Amino acid sequence: MASHRYGLVGHSDDENRRRFGDQAKSHEHEWAVRVEVSGPVDPETGFVTDLTALDEILGRVLGGWHGGNLNQLIPDVREGHMQPSTESLARWIHDRVGPEIPPPARVERVHVWESADLGAFYPARTAAP
């Protein structure tokens, strides 16, 4: 569980309530994150990447989320540069986890859910022409 709220820096509580409705109030979600990694399978370990290292990376990136307030924990949100939406959070996690995965493995996609039926992934898939 972690809380978040939507709001624009420099806007009053009333303005944010008009813009974001009830989402302008702090509320909690049971967040879930999935990171998809691709690459060649290491013939010795049978893995694409070191799962212990991946867990450690995710622990650093998502540290404090359990029971925390994402508006305070994530500098980009705290400073008003980002809304803590599932879309923005997926991109934020992708941009931090991706560079830490040792090549030749790479992060393909990050999924973030705030509930069983509401979530987003980054990068987004585009429709076929």
Side-chain angles (χ1 to χ4, degrees):
M1 284 287 225
S3 65
H4 74 146
R5 65 177 178 72
Y6 298 123
L8 298 172
V9 173
H11 291 213
S12 71
D13 288 342
D14 286 340
E15 290 171 316
N16 280 319
R17 271 193 298 278
R18 279 193 295 277
R19 177 74 183 250
F20 298 104
D22 286 341
Q23 303 302 308
K25 297 177 189 173
S26 186
H27 56 283
E28 290 185 327
H29 294 288
E30 191 70 42
W31 296 93
V33 174
R34 181 173 77 197
V35 176
E36 294 180 15
V37 179
S38 69
V41 175
D42 182 304
E44 186 176 311
T45 67
F47 293 105
V48 170
T49 193
D50 181 335
L51 295 181
T52 301
L54 180 58
D55 281 343
E56 289 171 4
I57 293 165
L58 287 170
R60 283 193 304 277
V61 170
L62 304 176
W65 278 39
H66 186 72
N69 178 336
L70 302 184
N71 294 79
Q72 296 302 313
L73 290 169
I74 299 172
D76 290 334
V77 177
R78 186 175 58 241
E79 295 163 8
H81 303 297
M82 179 182 119
Q83 290 295 327
S85 64
T86 55
E87 298 89 341
S88 293
L89 293 169
R91 181 178 185 174
W92 186 85
I93 294 165
H94 180 278
D95 290 351
R96 277 144 191 84
V97 172
E100 292 200 44
I101 301 295
R106 69 174 196 256
V107 173
E108 288 290 333
R109 183 164 280 115
V110 173
H111 299 247
V112 176
W113 291 271
E114 61 181 50
S115 68
D117 58 355
L118 182 59
F121 51 87
Y122 181 85
R125 292 190 175 116
T126 56

